[in-house]
Amino acid sequence: MTFSVRFWGVRGSIACSGPRTVRYGGNTSSIEVRCGDRMLLFDGGTGLRYLGNTLTGSIDADLFLTHTHFDHVCGLPFFKPFFQPQNRFRLWAGHLAEGMTLRRVLGEFMMSPLFPVPPQVFRARMEYREFKAGETLRPGPEVAVRTAVLNHPDGATGYRVEYAGRSVCYLTDTEHVPGAPDRNVLELIAGADLVIYDSMYTDAEYETYTGWGHSTWQEGVRLCRAARAKRLAVFHHDPEHDDDMLDGVARELAKELPGSIVARDGLVVEVN
Ligand SMILES: [Zn+2]
Ligand SMILES: [Zn+2]
C-alpha cells in the first residue's frame, strides 16, 4: 500500500536556476502522488518535464491543476507522455468560471504567436474535466480526492488525497488573512498526515505583497496546529529565496512543528 509524494518542482512564479538555488531546486510546481499502482499528478510546472522523462510503458493517470497561472501549466507542452498514443490522461480543473473550459484555456496558451504548436499535437488520449472546487473526486475506487476553494486571483483549488486511511493535502496558491484562519483550508486539512502549503513569503515579507495571492510558512504552521495536521511541507518558494535562506526556514520550522520539511526538487516523502 505505497502512499508517497515526490516533488518535481517546488518553486513559485518563475523557474530559476543557478548556484544559489541548486539544493532546493528551481522548477515550478509539479508533484507526483503514488497510491499503490495509481499515479496522481498535481500541477504542470517546469518540474513535470523531468517526471515525463522517467516514465515508460503505457500510462493511465489523472493530472489535477490547482489553477492555470503560467507557472502551473508551462510544463504541460513539454511532458513527453502526452505525445505517446498508448497513454491516457484525465486533466482536471475546479477553478474556472462558468462556461470556460480547460481545453480552451490550454488552447489559448498554446496558440500563435505565443506558442509554436497547438494542443492537437498531443497523441495521448486526453480528457479535459471541469468540476466545482468543493466537490469530491474519485479517480479510482480506493482513492478519494476532496477539494476546496482557495483564496487566489482567478481562483484556485486545494486538494486532499485520501488513501489507505492516510491523507496528503496540496494547497497552493492561496492567500491568508492575518488573524483570521481560512475556514476552507482548516476543514480540508483537518487531521491530515502531510500538508503541502503555499509558503511563498515570510510573515515579515507578506506585508509588502498583500493581494498577490500567496501565504507564509508561519501561517502554514498556525493552520496545521489549529487543524491538528501532523506535518507541513513548505512549498512554492519565492525565486528570490536562495538555499541559505531556505535552510534558515528549515531550522525555524523544525522547532515550530517537528517532522515538517522544506520541499525541494527530487524529494520523496512517504505518507504515514
Ligand atoms: Zn504559482
Ligand atoms: Zn497563481
Side-chain angles (χ1 to χ4, degrees):
M1 297 276 247
T2 310
F3 191 11
S4 65
V5 176
R6 187 178 198 115
F7 294 93
W8 291 94
V10 299
R11 202 55 72 164
S13 301
I14 191 163
C16 50
S17 67
R20 295 173 65 236
T21 54
V22 74
R23 285 188 286 114
Y24 286 90
N27 281 306
T28 66
S29 302
S30 176
I31 288 178
E32 172 192 1
V33 175
R34 294 277 182 167
C35 301
D37 293 337
R38 190 169 294 278
M39 181 167 66
L40 309 181
L41 308 177
F42 290 87
D43 280 333
T46 63
L48 188 68
R49 185 171 69 85
Y50 296 89
L51 164 63
N53 293 346
T54 68
L55 298 174
T56 53
S58 187
I59 303 152
D60 184 312
D62 295 273
L63 195 161
F64 302 91
L65 295 169
T66 55
H67 63 313
T68 42
H69 280 161
F70 199 73
D71 52 321
H72 297 254
V73 298
C74 61
L76 295 174
F78 303 97
F79 186 53
K80 277 199 188 120
F82 283 172
F83 295 84
Q84 297 158 350
Q86 76 274 19
N87 298 333
R88 178 177 177 175
F89 290 97
R90 292 162 297 278
L91 272 62
W92 302 81
H95 69 292
L96 297 173
E98 203 70 41
M100 181 55 78
T101 65
L102 187 53
R103 182 189 292 271
R104 186 172 147 198
V105 173
L106 200 58
E108 290 182 359
F109 151 56
M110 294 175 67
M111 182 190 271
S112 167
L114 288 170
F115 204 78
V117 292
Q120 286 78 10
V121 295
F122 297 147
R123 304 273 318 281
R125 185 162 154 202
M126 308 284 287
E127 293 173 36
Y128 299 92
R129 297 189 178 179
E130 294 83 27
F131 63 94
K132 281 258 163 293
E135 292 174 17
T136 296
L137 313 173
R138 294 211 168 259
E142 73 289 7
V143 182
V145 178
R146 289 170 55 196
T147 71
V149 174
L150 300 180
N151 179 32
H152 195 60
D154 304 316
T157 305
Y159 293 95
R160 175 185 177 119
V161 181
E162 296 181 340
Y163 175 70
R166 287 164 279 156
S167 55
V168 57
C169 301
Y170 177 52
L171 299 94
T172 199
D173 300 21
T174 193
E175 181 162 353
H176 65 290
V177 176
D182 188 322
R183 285 186 190 176
N184 286 353
V185 172
L186 286 178
E187 208 173 292
L188 193 69
I189 70 171
D193 295 289
L194 177 68
V195 176
I196 303 161
Y197 185 72
D198 181 340
S199 306
M200 182 95 163
Y201 308 124
T202 63
D203 276 353
E205 290 168 335
Y206 173 72
E207 292 170 29
T208 315
Y209 296 102
T210 307
W212 280 74
H214 297 289
S215 192
T216 72
W217 70 266
Q218 290 101 329
E219 182 69 10
V221 169
R222 289 187 287 268
L223 288 163
C224 283
R225 280 188 187 141
R228 299 187 184 279
K230 284 189 202 149
R231 305 171 76 190
L232 171 68
V234 166
F235 183 80
H236 203 275
H237 311 314
D238 190 313
E240 297 301 321
H241 288 175
D242 64 15
D243 290 333
D244 292 344
M245 187 278 179
L246 291 172
D247 280 345
V249 171
R251 281 192 294 272
E252 291 295 309
L253 184 64
K255 285 184 247 164
E256 297 284 336
L257 204 65
S260 295
I261 49 171
V262 176
R264 57 179 162 76
D265 288 8
L267 179 68
V268 180
V269 180
E270 302 296 328
V271 184
N272 52 29

